[in-house]
Amino acid sequence: MNSKSDLTWEKVQNLADDLVFKLTGRHLNDVEIKVLWGAYEGKTYNELAENLGFSVIYLSKDVGSPLWKKLSNALGEEVTKKNFQQALRRYQEKRSAFGGTTHNISANNTASIYKDWSIENLEFPGGRVPLNSRFYVKRYEIESLCYETIKQDGVLIRIKAPQEMGKTSLLERILSESERQNYQTVNLSLETDSTVFSDINKFLRYFCACVSKQLGMPNKLNEFWDDIFGCNDNATNYLEEYLLADLNNPLVLALDKVDLVFEQPEIATDFCRLIRAWHDLATRSGNRGAIWKKLRLIVVHSTEVYSSLDINYSPLQGVGRIIALEEFTPEQVQDLTKRYELDLVKTEIEQLMNLVGGHPHLVRLALDYLKRQQISLEELLQIASKESSPFRNHLRQHLWNLQQYRDLAAAFREVVTKNTPVKLRSNEAFKLQSMGLVKTQGDDWSPSYNLYRQYFAAQLVEL
């Protein structure tokens, strides 16, 4: 660790998380924490990639660069991997001057998680699961369906589920299979600078520039962009006449975190119309149809965004093949337990699933915590809904989302405080289910997991 720094790792994590949450309403995710910790330790992206099993490009461009941009926007100054500690120190001094504090993260918990890169060859749960990971749980039927579907001309695959259900990990495997088919691939995450979403013209120019960059083709937007035509027409022409025209093999264009577009009413409608139009162009005959048949689209989005949308409005309703990710089965949880080399008996696996069901991320958090901390399942169950819990960031994120919609919070409070399933209005039921918070029992509703009942019964008392 950098002994010259007067900021401990715990302070760095607290300060950065505080800033990102105030800016975005989201806490640092697990991969962002890994990159932040690596930067604090003075590690290069190459070293991080080697130890964590991710690619250098992913850690630097998809995680690191957006993280430094978030901190820059939050602090009003340029923040980089090299100067972030100085920037956070100034922020801490300003907060101290005004009597401010940051929310506390247990120093003991943090130290134990990061004290050893290679403890039992574990991976840090969160974000995409590396292709060669021993902890990836195959979804054989879904994966086979996706692998066969992506071979179809002009296909559109829509992967949707609540956050942390494994969407991005599945996407990685579809892209890997596509590359084995000698297809060209572009993987574009729409988690980027918020200014890009300011208007549809700026967004589509950014979008097209990113696609051409990943294909290794020069940016020729000025040659193909004509203000006489609409933005969607310009984007279509750019792909049709420039990016797709001379391709010999199909192009798989994967768009991750598209829910961030859905949240922007200024651009969402036009962008969804564009995706629909591209999918439709592939059904045409003649040379134009042949060009668009080369394009295979994958759209990935979280369903939490539905909480802010009209229940009768689905941004891409009725188009493409929908892949909805389900929870792990008891057999899959048992298999994953063995991969963590944990000796849990059948009744303990039942206890674990009684707490978190088969939620992929929550199950992995639990098993990872049991392995690292060398504690019993009973001890984990006792702290599951407390601030020392490994589930705390997941729970806080849901709490923040509910606080933005008081009607949903009130409805969910009734669900978690009643011992029997309750009736909900269709609008509330749809949105809470899209957030992954409730499950149906006949015509009534109950919390998806007992963990949610324990945590939110206490947190929603005053809402």
Side-chain angles (χ1 to χ4, degrees):
M1 184 172 289
N2 185 359
S3 59
K4 296 180 180 180
S5 174
D6 58 356
L7 285 179
T8 65
W9 160 241
E10 288 74 28
K11 287 182 180 179
V12 166
Q13 185 181 358
N14 285 334
L15 291 167
D17 189 66
D18 181 65
L19 287 164
V20 170
F21 184 79
K22 287 180 177 178
L23 180 71
T24 68
R26 295 182 172 92
H27 290 285
L28 291 172
N29 63 42
D30 291 323
V31 185
E32 288 173 324
I33 292 173
K34 298 170 198 174
V35 169
L36 187 70
W37 186 86
Y40 179 79
E41 288 287 331
K43 294 184 180 293
T44 66
Y45 283 120
N46 284 329
E47 291 173 320
L48 284 171
E50 182 178 351
N51 284 286
L52 296 176
F54 296 112
S55 71
V56 175
I57 292 177
Y58 171 65
L59 290 177
S60 62
K61 293 186 177 181
D62 293 348
V63 181
S65 181
L67 174 60
W68 309 130
K69 283 184 179 180
K70 291 174 189 175
L71 292 175
S72 298
N73 291 337
L75 291 171
E77 61 177 285
E78 183 178 4
V79 177
T80 67
K81 185 171 180 285
K82 293 182 178 180
N83 74 357
F84 77 96
Q85 289 193 59
Q86 293 90 329
L88 291 177
R89 185 182 298 108
R90 288 190 290 272
Y91 172 63
Q92 183 189 42
E93 290 170 352
K94 290 178 182 178
R95 287 183 61 83
S96 298
F98 289 95
T101 59
T102 60
H103 58 268
N104 181 56
I105 297 176
S106 169
N108 290 334
N109 287 344
T110 305
S112 65
I113 290 175
Y114 293 98
K115 66 183 179 182
D116 188 350
W117 282 105
S118 59
I119 178 173
E120 301 294 340
N121 294 316
L122 292 180
E123 299 165 3
F124 297 93
R128 73 176 84 179
V129 182
L131 289 173
N132 61 350
S133 172
R134 62 183 289 195
F135 301 109
Y136 179 73
V137 177
K138 286 184 176 293
R139 292 171 157 115
Y140 289 99
E141 291 186 8
I142 286 178
E143 289 176 32
S144 297
L145 175 61
C146 291
Y147 297 162
E148 288 303 312
T149 303
I150 203 64
K151 298 175 184 178
Q152 300 172 15
D153 292 340
V155 74
L156 168 60
I157 297 175
R158 295 169 53 200
I159 303 173
K160 65 175 188 176
Q163 290 185 7
E164 301 173 326
M165 287 292 289
K167 298 182 297 298
T168 302
S169 297
L170 174 60
L171 174 62
E172 281 288 300
R173 281 145 184 87
I174 300 173
L175 291 174
S176 179
E177 175 64 22
S178 299
E179 290 170 357
R180 281 195 287 270
Q181 299 294 328
N182 292 321
Y183 299 165
Q184 291 189 258
T185 62
V186 169
N187 187 4
L188 180 59
S189 172
L190 297 182
E191 187 175 30
T192 185
D193 193 324
S194 59
T195 60
V196 170
F197 299 108
S198 59
D199 67 74
I200 188 63
N201 185 62
K202 184 173 185 178
F203 173 73
L204 289 182
R205 287 180 66 89
Y206 161 82
F207 176 88
C208 290
C210 287
V211 175
S212 53
K213 181 178 181 181
Q214 287 201 34
L215 288 172
M217 300 173 68
N219 181 337
K220 293 188 176 181
L221 284 172
N222 291 335
E223 295 181 32
F224 288 90
W225 220 263
D226 191 331
D227 291 340
I228 294 177
F229 301 105
C231 301
N232 281 12
D233 287 337
N234 282 322
T236 298
N237 290 337
Y238 190 77
L239 262 72
E240 180 177 330
E241 298 178 13
Y242 177 46
L243 299 183
L244 293 175
D246 296 327
L247 287 182
N248 295 319
N249 296 325
L251 169 63
V252 178
L253 175 55
L255 309 178
D256 199 2
K257 301 188 184 300
V258 178
D259 43 291
L260 296 177
V261 174
F262 296 163
E263 293 174 354
Q264 311 296 326
E266 298 83 3
I267 67 173
T269 300
D270 285 332
F271 184 67
C272 289
R273 285 174 178 167
L274 182 64
I275 296 298
R276 285 173 174 273
W278 289 352
H279 182 54
D280 180 65
L281 283 168
T283 66
R284 299 191 181 186
S285 58
N287 183 62
R288 194 177 193 195
I291 291 175
W292 284 98
K293 283 179 172 62
K294 300 177 187 178
L295 181 66
R296 289 96 196 269
L297 286 163
I298 308 175
V299 174
V300 182
H301 67 87
S302 295
T303 53
E304 279 89 346
V305 68
Y306 292 161
S307 63
S308 62
L309 300 178
D310 184 336
I311 185 176
N312 298 310
Y313 171 72
S314 176
L316 288 171
Q317 186 172 5
V319 61
R321 180 181 288 277
I322 297 176
I323 304 295
L325 297 185
E326 303 295 337
E327 297 181 9
F328 289 161
T329 65
E331 293 75 21
Q332 288 173 316
V333 173
Q334 184 178 33
D335 175 60
L336 189 56
T337 301
K338 292 178 180 178
R339 300 187 199 189
Y340 276 92
E341 299 179 357
L342 290 168
D343 188 22
L344 297 185
V345 299
K346 182 178 179 181
T347 55
E348 289 178 310
I349 292 176
E350 291 172 352
Q351 284 181 294
L352 175 60
M353 295 192 71
N354 185 51
L355 178 71
V356 298
H359 189 291
H361 182 62
L362 296 180
V363 169
R364 279 202 66 188
L365 282 176
L367 298 180
D368 180 88
Y369 193 79
L370 290 174
K371 187 67 175 181
R372 291 183 191 276
Q373 303 299 326
Q374 297 293 300
I375 65 172
S376 68
L377 178 63
E378 183 61 34
E379 290 174 295
L380 173 60
L381 295 177
Q382 291 175 1
I383 66 166
S385 61
K386 302 183 183 301
E387 282 301 299
S388 56
S389 163
F391 313 120
R392 62 183 176 272
N393 287 340
H394 175 91
L395 295 169
R396 286 174 182 166
Q397 184 62 59
H398 274 307
L399 179 61
W400 186 88
N401 289 337
L402 287 168
Q403 288 172 339
Q404 312 313 304
Y405 305 99
R406 293 304 178 101
D407 56 335
L408 290 182
F412 191 50
R413 178 177 59 196
E414 183 179 3
V415 173
V416 297
T417 54
K418 295 292 180 64
N419 292 325
T420 57
V422 303
K423 292 192 179 300
L424 292 173
R425 291 181 295 183
S426 60
N427 182 58
E428 295 167 343
F430 170 76
K431 292 184 176 182
L432 288 172
Q433 185 181 37
S434 297
M435 296 168 74
L437 292 173
V438 297
K439 60 183 178 182
T440 182
Q441 294 191 351
D443 293 331
D444 299 330
W445 299 86
S446 60
S448 295
Y449 315 115
N450 279 332
L451 174 65
Y452 292 169
R453 184 186 296 280
Q454 295 172 18
Y455 181 79
F456 291 105
Q459 295 294 330
L460 297 179
V461 170
E462 297 181 0
L463 286 179

